[in-house]
Amino acid sequence: MLFNSVEFLLFFIGIGFVYFAIPARFRWMLLLFGSYVFYMSWEPSYAALLGLITVVNYYLAIRLGRSITVRGKKTILALTVTINAGLLFSLKYLGFFAESLRTVFHHHGVAAAIPVFSIALPVGISFYTFKIMSYTIDVYRGKLEPERNIGLFALYVAFFPQLIAGPIDRSTRLLPQFREEQMFDYRRVSDGLKLILWGFFQKMVIAGTLTIMVDLVYSKPGQYDAPTLALATLFFAFQIYCDFSGYSDIAIGIAQVFGYGSINNFERPYFSRSIPEFWRRWHISLSTWFRDYLYIPLGGSRISIPRWHVNIMIVFLVSGLWHGANWTFVVWGAIHGCYYILSVLTKSAREKTVATLGLVRLPRLHQGIQMAITFCLVTFTWIFFRANTISDAFYIVSKLFTGWGSASETAGTNTLASFVSSHFFEFCVAIVSITVMGMVHTLQVRGNVRNMLRSKPIWLRWAAYYAIVAAILLLSNFGSKQFIYFQF
Amino acid sequence: MKKFVTKSILFAAPFVVLALVEIFALPLDFFTFRVWESVKVDTLKNILPGYFYPRISITKTEQGDITHHTVYALEKTVEWHTDQFGYRNRDDTRAPEIVIIGDSNTVGTGLTQSDTLSVALESRLGVRVYSFAPASLNVFLRDRQLTHDKPRVVIVATIERDVPSLRTLKPELTYPSVLERKFMELRSAIKGFRSLQGVAVPVDRLFKANMLHYYRASVRRAITMVFLHGEKIPPPKQNIPSMHFLFGDLAVQDVPPDQLERALTVVKSYNDLLKSMDIRFIFLPIPNKENIYHDLLPSKKKPVFLGQTIDAMRKKGIETIDLQSAFDEAYRRNGPVLYLPDDTHWSAEGVRIAAELLADAISGKKEGKISPKSR
């Protein structure tokens, strides 16, 4: 059941009406039941695995809470991390590493009988595994008591708006909310629905339209010239943002309708003025997870400089690998790690350059340049994220740096002009809708857009809502349903 | 809560009204350029009996599926009638002696009802011919209402490009158990309820949302035309014939031998099954437009796949109609009149030739002599 499907719409309306019709004490049960129905709609066997993981972690967290010795606590924590990470590794990475080993042995002429692993990856496993691990570590750290109500814990793990692709909400934030009595609140529900509508606009109009062009170019990069590859890469930067931010907005909006606040996953990341800032604004629930449960345990920044560099690289390489079992993601993470380290190392030199150029006196221009450079750096890394293979990625990079010149360079490839004219409708929709999104983001800098709308007359508000619905109905790509982050 | 429900209803009202107007006030074909899209079952395939809505009669001015909404479009008025089972036939109490299972060519896309293959064959043989299309032999076997009255002849017609991908027979349909047979009969009986069909058709139309798709297409066309061509549709380029192709040179690519082998195996299984049911089987592969008019393509390449298929089928003892030779001869003699110029499908003349060959084969006459083009 995809968010952008009629089945989900009916499911959501049904659950929503029953939720507010039944007594408050039964609502968590309805949500738990609904979450499992939602997950079973993908594949019933996934729900069995989810249930098993939930029960095991519930029990281990209880034992962790009861344990009074540090050693005992550490042992149980190690066991839970091993179980969860091991399960994720075996389902997601075993095949990848076995294949990589086979390649290495083959390259060195060694005949090794490494088995082939081809396991279907349960949808959402990367997200709910991280959710469970954050809960267990928080219990270990004493940030919260282990949850005694297995139903509430199961709901925390399987909460359907966040189940498939996050946000990776923390137990310290979500579990207490499940215990509160959520009354129907008109403003909260209508705000949630507006957020859902905006999420659909981002996903279906912008990301859906961009998908057509990006997929075409990235499926056969050798058939296109450098400007077309550059355009496709630029479009992918917006596609992945709108796809995932759209999903997150829908998920957060749904949770808000039921009365639960979620962590915000995106904070206008393409307005970032540096790479560290980008990572404070992009996929916030994941980057803060890595910060709290990997970076800080590794020692954070309170260690020697070389060791800190190593820690940063570890975090970004793991982050890259988390996205998928492919070397393209590892390279993507590695580049971001290098960016991050370089941005810190070059800080004083950059400040001196700014002072020399007199950009301090022109803060707007300075900010604009910073944003443009950061955006270009991030967009460059998306090549590795999106390319089907590492060789495709390197081909695109080489083409972007060398393929802008002579006619011989572009011979036999589709030019930008022919590409745009053959996808003129999609191109127009993309440009206009990205501009609209940019305007909304600019307004968001000044404050909450929904609050701004509230102060406007009803005809204007409703006109805006109808315009978004009309755009979704008339301009979206109905063929593009799958969300990018579902594969992770 | 009351405020929320009231506002939600008010917000949704325009969309509900538009949907109701489309389904209950406007003609079925109001938002489509041809009948096919207006009568095709979209979502409720398991509730409605056939491929099309049952008991529909429409007269519409259509355009071809390749050049619709362009200066190349040729308008033609067609009549469509579907029977109680949702296939393009007039209701008839007589049991069909001949059933043609096929694709959109068998349906008669772009043709008026009287020019379709089943009608043309019926008028030649004087027995009831049933057009069971678009469908596969599996669907025919599943539909117990038709196989109850066992036909004498079953013709499987398919366009050349689909020969390699003909459906393999499903074992559960080929030799069903008593329980499976009962279930299929019950399913067919339920699908036959007129009151159920009366509810299902509007619901299916609601899901199909033809109005929405019409406006989506209109917006796309408007943007493309206005910005790319300055509100003018580009004039036809010089030296381009008025004949249009959907696949062009892609349709005349060589077909790997394993695909021919697969097709042989599948058609042989059709033949053997129907023989075991005491039904005569005839295979009718219809040449691609690009095959017969290959000289109008840039490559000018004549494909050989269909010729090889016909020979191989006949060697295997499968009764196969050689439409390729007949069409080649007719094209040489009368020019490009076998296919609709602005459409992927055959013309009334193409149908007439196929019907003559089939009638001769069924009635035992020697195949291969085609009468001069009807005027």
Side-chain angles (χ1 to χ4, degrees):
Chain A
M1 234 191 287
L2 290 160
F3 281 178
N4 46 335
S5 67
V6 175
E7 294 90 342
F8 181 79
L9 191 70
L10 297 173
F11 168 82
F12 176 52
I13 292 168
I15 289 265
F17 274 104
V18 176
Y19 181 84
F20 289 111
I22 60 175
R25 65 181 183 278
F26 299 124
R27 286 177 183 165
W28 69 264
M29 294 181 200
L30 174 77
L31 286 182
L32 180 60
F33 171 76
S35 297
Y36 269 81
V37 167
F38 174 75
Y39 201 48
M40 284 168 81
S41 72
W42 296 85
E43 172 66 52
S45 61
Y46 292 168
L49 177 73
L50 181 68
L52 183 68
I53 294 170
T54 303
V55 170
V56 167
N57 280 280
Y58 167 79
Y59 173 74
L60 287 171
I62 297 279
R63 289 293 306 271
L64 189 62
R66 283 186 192 152
S67 181
I68 44 174
T69 64
V70 173
R71 191 176 170 175
K73 280 181 186 290
K74 279 189 173 173
T75 306
I76 296 167
L77 178 70
L79 181 65
T80 56
V81 170
T82 305
I83 288 170
N84 292 304
L87 185 75
L88 184 62
F89 178 86
S90 56
L91 287 173
K92 194 168 175 175
Y93 303 106
L94 209 57
F96 166 66
F97 282 111
E99 179 59 39
S100 300
L101 266 179
R102 245 193 317 278
T103 307
V104 169
F105 282 136
H106 179 76
H107 187 74
H108 290 91
V110 180
I114 299 166
V116 175
F117 298 97
S118 181
I119 308 162
L121 185 70
V123 67
I125 191 167
S126 303
F127 291 91
Y128 64 71
T129 302
F130 270 38
K131 250 174 123 173
I132 290 169
M133 282 164 74
S134 76
Y135 163 78
T136 316
I137 296 166
D138 284 347
V139 169
Y140 168 79
R141 288 175 177 174
K143 280 189 174 180
L144 84 158
E145 285 294 306
E147 177 56 59
R148 302 278 164 189
N149 184 333
I150 191 167
L152 286 183
F153 177 68
L155 177 59
Y156 162 70
V157 176
F159 188 41
F160 76 87
Q162 304 177 347
L163 180 60
I164 306 298
I168 307 166
D169 229 327
R170 303 295 173 83
S171 48
T172 46
R173 180 193 178 95
L174 207 52
L175 276 169
Q177 292 187 73
F178 289 147
R179 295 192 173 282
E180 291 167 11
E181 193 172 314
Q182 306 295 350
M183 300 310 292
F184 183 88
D185 181 272
Y186 173 81
R187 177 181 276 199
R188 194 193 62 223
V189 171
S190 89
D191 276 356
L193 291 174
K194 284 166 200 165
L195 194 59
I196 292 168
L197 189 65
W198 179 243
F200 277 128
F201 176 82
Q202 286 183 97
K203 162 63 191 171
M204 294 176 75
V205 179
I206 310 176
T209 303
L210 293 172
T211 299
I212 297 167
M213 294 179 281
V214 172
D215 286 2
L216 200 69
V217 174
Y218 268 81
S219 63
K220 288 183 178 132
Q223 292 184 359
Y224 297 91
D225 67 355
T228 311
L229 291 170
L231 181 74
T233 305
L234 177 73
F235 277 170
F236 180 69
F238 289 105
Q239 184 201 333
I240 192 165
Y241 170 69
C242 293
D243 194 284
F244 198 21
S245 172
Y247 172 87
S248 297
D249 283 348
I250 296 166
I252 294 164
I254 292 167
Q256 195 174 352
V257 166
F258 293 122
Y260 307 109
S262 303
I263 185 172
N264 192 10
N265 228 4
F266 292 91
E267 197 67 54
R268 300 180 305 282
Y270 291 149
F271 280 52
S272 304
R273 289 154 52 189
S274 67
I275 293 295
E277 188 186 350
F278 173 80
W279 281 105
R280 287 194 295 274
R281 290 162 166 257
W282 178 273
H283 202 175
I284 298 163
S285 67
L286 182 72
S287 48
T288 53
W289 195 99
F290 278 119
R291 181 196 65 200
D292 295 344
Y293 304 110
L294 183 61
Y295 175 69
I296 289 170
L298 284 169
S301 57
R302 297 179 179 183
I303 42 173
S304 65
I305 296 287
R307 181 63 206 279
W308 175 77
H309 291 171
V310 171
N311 286 356
I312 289 290
M313 285 309 292
I314 289 170
V315 169
F316 277 104
L317 286 172
V318 172
S319 169
L321 204 53
W322 177 90
H323 281 88
N326 194 328
W327 288 110
T328 52
F329 295 118
V330 177
V331 173
W332 171 80
I335 296 170
H336 266 289
C338 294
Y339 279 172
Y340 201 100
I341 293 163
L342 285 170
S343 74
V344 174
L345 291 178
T346 60
K347 198 176 178 201
S348 58
R350 282 184 288 121
E351 282 169 355
K352 276 180 191 170
T353 309
V354 168
T356 309
L357 294 170
L359 283 172
V360 181
R361 292 191 301 274
L362 301 161
R364 283 282 171 89
L365 178 65
H366 182 207
Q367 283 174 18
I369 291 168
Q370 285 177 308
M371 281 180 201
I373 291 170
T374 306
F375 178 75
C376 288
L377 290 171
V378 169
T379 301
F380 174 77
T381 66
W382 289 133
I383 295 170
F384 291 89
F385 195 95
R386 177 58 186 83
N388 295 330
T389 62
I390 201 80
S391 58
D392 272 5
F394 282 116
Y395 169 82
I396 292 165
V397 171
S398 69
K399 194 88 179 168
L400 287 178
F401 283 100
T402 61
W404 295 76
S406 61
S408 62
E409 290 282 1
T410 56
T413 58
N414 292 303
T415 61
L416 182 63
S418 70
F419 179 76
V420 170
S421 66
S422 60
H423 294 88
F424 192 72
F425 173 75
E426 286 82 11
F427 183 79
C428 289
V429 170
I431 298 299
V432 172
S433 56
I434 289 169
T435 307
V436 169
M437 185 181 69
M439 286 157 66
V440 170
H441 281 192
T442 309
L443 284 173
Q444 278 178 339
V445 175
R446 295 183 204 165
N448 188 314
V449 176
R450 282 173 290 179
N451 289 343
M452 289 178 205
L453 265 175
R454 205 169 281 118
S455 63
K456 299 284 181 282
I458 189 165
W459 66 266
L460 189 65
R461 277 183 283 140
W462 280 46
Y465 306 147
Y466 277 126
I468 294 175
V469 172
I472 292 167
L473 291 175
L474 295 174
L475 306 177
S476 63
N477 169 19
F478 287 166
S480 162
K481 288 205 162 183
Q482 191 68 278
F483 288 84
I484 293 173
Y485 265 68
F486 282 16
Q487 64 189 298
F488 307 140
Chain B
M1 182 67 120
K2 196 185 269 185
K3 181 184 171 187
F4 174 77
V5 172
T6 308
K7 280 199 166 184
S8 298
I9 290 168
L10 279 173
F11 187 78
F15 303 106
V16 174
V17 168
L18 284 172
L20 292 175
V21 165
E22 182 194 354
I23 290 158
F24 297 108
L26 296 172
L28 192 69
D29 59 331
F30 191 84
F31 291 106
T32 60
F33 72 92
R34 57 178 189 166
V35 179
W36 183 287
E37 280 75 19
S38 45
V39 297
K40 177 182 175 284
V41 177
D42 183 62
T43 309
L44 304 185
K45 291 187 178 82
N46 291 320
I47 294 174
L48 288 160
Y51 193 88
F52 303 111
Y53 296 147
R55 302 183 183 87
I56 297 289
S57 287
I58 293 179
T59 302
K60 184 176 179 66
T61 303
E62 284 191 341
Q63 294 181 352
D65 61 5
I66 304 175
T67 61
H68 61 93
H69 297 97
T70 71
V71 287
Y72 306 104
L74 302 171
E75 294 201 328
K76 48 197 167 290
T77 302
V78 300
E79 239 183 64
W80 265 69
H81 306 280
T82 62
D83 62 11
Q84 58 177 326
F85 301 112
Y87 291 100
R88 196 178 178 189
N89 301 284
R90 284 188 179 277
D91 274 322
D92 194 327
T93 50
R94 291 177 299 162
E97 287 199 38
I98 298 164
V99 171
I100 309 173
I101 299 167
D103 52 26
S104 52
N105 283 292
T106 305
V107 173
T109 308
L111 301 174
T112 200
Q113 191 102 355
S114 57
D115 289 336
T116 58
L117 182 61
S118 56
V119 176
L121 190 56
E122 193 168 287
S123 66
R124 277 165 180 75
L125 295 172
V127 295
R128 189 177 177 215
V129 180
Y130 193 87
S131 172
F132 196 75
S136 65
L137 191 56
N138 284 320
V139 179
F140 170 75
L141 293 167
R142 199 184 61 204
D143 199 323
R144 294 289 136 186
Q145 278 174 300
L146 281 164
T147 47
H148 255 322
D149 308 307
K150 203 169 60 178
R152 212 158 42 85
V153 182
V154 165
I155 300 158
V156 171
T158 182
I159 190 75
E160 178 187 344
R161 63 178 164 272
D162 290 341
V163 169
S165 56
L166 277 166
R167 300 278 172 87
T168 50
L169 287 171
K170 287 183 180 171
E172 71 270 20
L173 296 170
T174 313
Y175 301 107
S177 64
V178 175
L179 196 68
E180 283 169 334
R181 184 180 288 273
K182 285 281 174 212
F183 175 73
M184 286 191 271
E185 283 172 2
L186 178 69
R187 206 176 115 158
S188 292
I190 290 168
K191 282 182 171 189
F193 282 133
R194 203 165 177 159
S195 51
L196 180 70
Q197 292 173 0
V199 175
V201 170
V203 172
D204 190 80
R205 287 182 62 197
L206 186 70
F207 278 108
K208 197 155 63 171
N210 274 342
M211 184 198 283
L212 175 64
H213 291 294
Y214 170 81
Y215 285 117
R216 279 169 62 85
S218 301
V219 168
R220 174 182 282 268
R221 259 196 310 275
I223 289 175
T224 309
M225 292 303 164
V226 169
F227 287 92
L228 270 187
H229 309 298
E231 286 188 88
K232 275 188 188 166
I233 297 166
K237 289 177 187 169
Q238 283 187 333
N239 305 324
I240 287 202
S242 57
M243 189 61 67
H244 298 271
F245 299 95
L246 184 63
F247 296 103
D249 278 331
L250 288 173
V252 293
Q253 302 296 321
D254 291 331
V255 179
D258 61 309
Q259 292 199 16
L260 173 58
E261 270 311 308
R262 186 196 168 275
L264 272 174
T265 310
V266 172
V267 178
K268 183 82 171 68
S269 71
Y270 293 178
N271 187 58
D272 296 347
L273 174 75
L274 291 165
K275 227 175 210 170
S276 72
M277 293 167 77
D278 203 24
I279 298 171
R280 184 177 168 189
F281 170 69
I282 299 172
F283 183 52
L284 174 72
I286 302 162
N288 288 338
K289 188 177 183 178
E290 290 88 345
N291 172 346
I292 304 302
Y293 298 165
H294 63 275
D295 57 325
L296 301 179
L297 297 173
S299 70
K300 303 207 181 308
K301 184 182 165 188
K302 176 74 174 169
V304 294
F305 172 71
L306 190 60
Q308 291 172 342
T309 303
I310 292 162
D311 291 345
M313 295 283 173
R314 285 178 168 178
K315 274 181 191 153
K316 286 252 182 192
I318 299 161
E319 192 174 353
T320 307
I321 303 296
D322 184 3
L323 213 48
Q324 165 101 50
S325 309
F327 272 21
D328 280 340
E329 191 190 330
Y331 180 42
R332 267 195 309 273
R333 214 165 40 193
N334 305 318
V337 291
L338 301 160
Y339 297 88
L340 300 166
D342 62 335
D343 198 289
T344 49
H345 301 91
W346 57 7
S347 65
E349 179 60 15
V351 170
R352 187 189 69 81
I353 292 169
E356 275 195 22
L357 290 176
L358 280 168
D360 288 351
I362 292 165
S363 58
K365 285 183 193 168
K366 200 167 187 284
E367 186 200 314
K369 292 290 280 178
I370 306 297
S371 61
K373 182 175 176 274
S374 54
R375 297 287 168 201

